Amino acid sequence: MRRRRFRTPAWTATLTWKSAVFLTVMCCTLAALLGVLVHTAVSRQVIGQAREKALSRLDEVTRAYEAGEALPPGSGIDPPGLPAPLRTLAADGERGTLVADDGGHPAMWAAAPAERGTLATRIDHSQSARTLRGLDRAIVGSSLLAIGATLLVGAFAVTRVTRRLHQTARVARRISAGDLDARVADPRAAGPARTRDEVAIVAGALDTMASTLQRKLQTEQRFTADVAHELRTPLTGLSAAAELLPPGRPSELVRDRVRTMRALTEDLLEISRLDARTEHVDLAVHDLAPVVERVVRASGTETGIRQAGEALARVETDRRRLERVLGNLVANAHRHGRPPVVLTIDGPVVTVRDHGDGFPEYLVTGGPQRFRTEGGGKGHGLGLTIAVGQSEVIGASLVFRNPPDGGAEARLTLPEYVVLDDGPEGGGESRSATAPPAAPERDEPDGSDG
């Protein structure tokens, strides 16, 4: 049986959690080190004072013993409770002190050798022990207070940093999603006179990168639009001139190439408008099945239509743009796939399926890429690029995949028009366009694309 590996929760990988753990460990280590040092120093001082007091008391007891006078309470020859180490020390002819338990209370013993045994005395050590215990409680309490205060201050400081990092990450995601106007605008990166920390440097670099990228993309978009626009006039004249050529094979080839160039020019203009995000959507409610049938008839291809669900879906969309998307998908399937090509309608979802070699891997993972096709087939990679762009404009989701049993499949999910009844008595109705799942982020999607 395979053992399951323990996985730590995701929040333990956050900078806040790691900082909290680091601060806690460092504070505890520092508090323990300082506590041990203070406890050791105070204990040495307190016990040293108690030892001096016990030895002074032992001197008095020794003088009284030698003078034959009565010994004070707690003193005598081999008194009960005398610790064995002190008895051994006195037997060797030395004197010493030791803290030991005496009837449940701590006592400081002092002993010295005598003629008939061990002369010893003891003094109460309870007050000193209570002082040390009070000191230990004060050390623990102050350490916990210091750790809590440090964690609060550290959490506040770290949270401010992580909040700025999260803001930078959100802006980066917006830029990657196509919002090139997004900026972090960190005030610490506003000018060279401001003091910058590392987060401000990253935010400033991201804003600079976004501005540079935006300028480059806008320059490319303007160039593409200008080139396509400038080509329209000479191509119009060329098309008219081609129609005047005498019938024949050369004339047909010229007309075919002119038509191809005009179609390419129109595609470039459409892509430039999509890139500039200047398209306006004309939304209306349409029955999906008639739209699909009209696209298939207009394509002039052998394309099958299959209804998967029983209910006929109604969608809220721009019909012209929807027909453009479906037309490009059907044309791409016939150009780069193999028959049969089938359009399947399942609710608000339209699937275009062919039985060819499937989409290239780069298209499935990253989406269509303009001016890139596989296998030397005809096309410029613009058909699927336009389909993806128009799908985004009408709020639809277009996903490409290769089914396990072969072929290529493009799945278009449209916003469905839903009628909500107010009850059996009829009354008013309301509609809601259910948004399709968000399409995966693409870096200018295509594959077997025409």
Side-chain angles (χ1 to χ4, degrees):
M1 182 177 179
R2 189 175 182 180
R3 297 180 59 185
R4 296 182 60 185
R5 296 182 58 186
F6 175 75
R7 298 185 62 181
T8 58
W11 53 266
T12 58
T14 61
L15 180 60
T16 303
W17 166 254
K18 293 179 180 179
S19 300
V21 171
F22 175 76
L23 289 174
T24 302
V25 171
M26 293 303 298
C27 288
C28 290
T29 302
L30 183 59
L33 180 60
L34 292 177
V36 170
L37 292 176
V38 172
H39 176 83
T40 301
V42 175
S43 297
R44 186 180 294 114
Q45 182 180 4
V46 170
I47 293 176
Q49 293 175 353
R51 181 177 292 111
E52 292 177 0
K53 184 177 179 180
L55 291 176
S56 178
R57 177 82 174 274
L58 181 61
D59 291 338
E60 296 176 2
V61 171
T62 301
R63 286 194 295 271
Y65 175 75
E66 291 175 350
E69 299 174 356
L71 300 180
S75 306
I77 300 296
D78 295 326
L82 178 65
L86 286 181
R87 195 186 302 275
T88 302
L89 190 64
D92 294 337
E94 299 180 4
R95 69 175 191 170
T97 59
L98 183 67
V99 178
D101 184 75
D102 181 29
H105 299 283
M108 175 66 76
W109 288 87
E115 295 179 357
R116 294 178 297 171
T118 301
L119 179 63
T121 184
R122 69 178 182 274
I123 59 175
D124 186 25
H125 194 63
S126 300
Q127 181 61 37
S128 299
R130 283 193 295 271
T131 300
L132 291 176
R133 286 196 296 270
L135 175 66
D136 291 341
R137 286 193 296 269
I139 292 174
V140 173
S142 59
S143 298
L144 292 177
L145 183 62
I147 291 173
T150 303
L151 282 177
L152 288 177
V153 175
F156 174 75
V158 172
T159 301
R160 293 189 63 185
V161 174
T162 55
R163 188 185 301 117
R164 293 166 59 198
L165 289 175
H166 285 308
Q167 171 66 14
T168 303
R170 284 193 296 270
V171 171
R173 285 192 290 269
R174 288 173 56 190
I175 294 173
S176 65
D179 184 7
L180 298 181
D181 293 323
R183 298 292 184 273
V184 180
D186 194 319
R188 295 170 180 81
R194 300 292 298 271
T195 302
R196 294 188 177 189
D197 57 7
E198 287 78 2
V199 180
I201 294 174
V202 173
L206 179 63
D207 287 349
T208 302
M209 179 201 71
S211 299
T212 304
L213 179 62
Q214 185 178 36
R215 287 194 298 270
K216 289 184 177 180
L217 289 179
Q218 290 175 346
T219 301
E220 292 179 1
Q221 291 168 8
R222 285 194 298 268
F223 176 76
T224 302
D226 292 344
V227 168
H229 188 271
E230 292 299 324
L231 284 176
R232 296 180 78 178
T233 301
L235 282 176
T236 301
L238 186 60
S239 177
E243 296 297 329
L244 300 177
L245 294 175
R249 181 60 180 167
S251 301
E252 289 297 326
L253 291 175
V254 171
R255 294 190 187 99
D256 179 68
R257 292 300 87 194
V258 170
R259 284 193 294 268
T260 300
M261 291 185 65
R262 292 191 66 178
L264 176 60
T265 302
E266 295 300 327
D267 287 347
L268 289 174
L269 284 172
E270 185 171 356
I271 287 178
S272 67
R273 290 193 296 268
L274 291 172
D275 289 341
R277 300 179 183 272
T278 58
E279 298 285 65
H280 299 286
V281 184
D282 183 16
L283 294 179
V285 179
H286 301 277
D287 291 327
L288 185 56
V291 176
V292 172
E293 293 172 358
R294 185 161 45 248
V295 169
V296 171
R297 285 196 305 269
S299 69
T301 59
E302 295 291 334
T303 303
I305 301 177
R306 186 168 68 90
Q307 181 74 39
E310 296 182 359
L312 297 178
R314 305 186 74 196
V315 295
E316 188 172 18
T317 186
D318 186 323
R319 183 175 61 84
R320 182 182 65 83
R321 299 182 189 278
L322 175 58
E323 291 177 352
R324 173 70 157 149
V325 173
L326 294 177
N328 282 14
L329 295 179
V330 171
N332 185 82
H334 281 281
R335 181 178 295 117
H336 300 283
R338 286 193 295 270
V341 176
V342 180
L343 269 73
T344 303
I345 306 173
D346 185 3
V349 180
V350 180
T351 302
V352 181
R353 169 81 183 274
D354 66 59
H355 293 76
D357 297 329
F359 291 119
E361 186 61 29
Y362 78 87
L363 188 147
V364 176
T365 57
Q369 298 177 15
R370 60 191 68 175
F371 297 107
R372 177 178 179 181
T373 57
E374 293 290 327
K378 295 181 179 180
H380 304 89
L382 300 182
L384 293 187
T385 303
I386 292 174
V388 170
Q390 294 289 9
S391 299
E392 294 176 353
V393 171
I394 62 177
S397 169
L398 180 57
V399 179
F400 304 97
R401 75 183 191 97
N402 293 325
D405 55 344
E409 178 181 286
R411 182 183 180 89
L412 180 67
T413 305
L414 296 160
E416 185 176 10
Y417 178 81
V418 180
V419 178
L420 302 177
D421 294 330
D422 289 343
E425 298 180 358
E429 66 178 23
S430 62
R431 70 180 185 181
S432 63
T434 56
E441 293 182 0
R442 298 180 171 86
D443 182 15
E444 271 304 337
D446 193 336
S448 53
D449 166 25

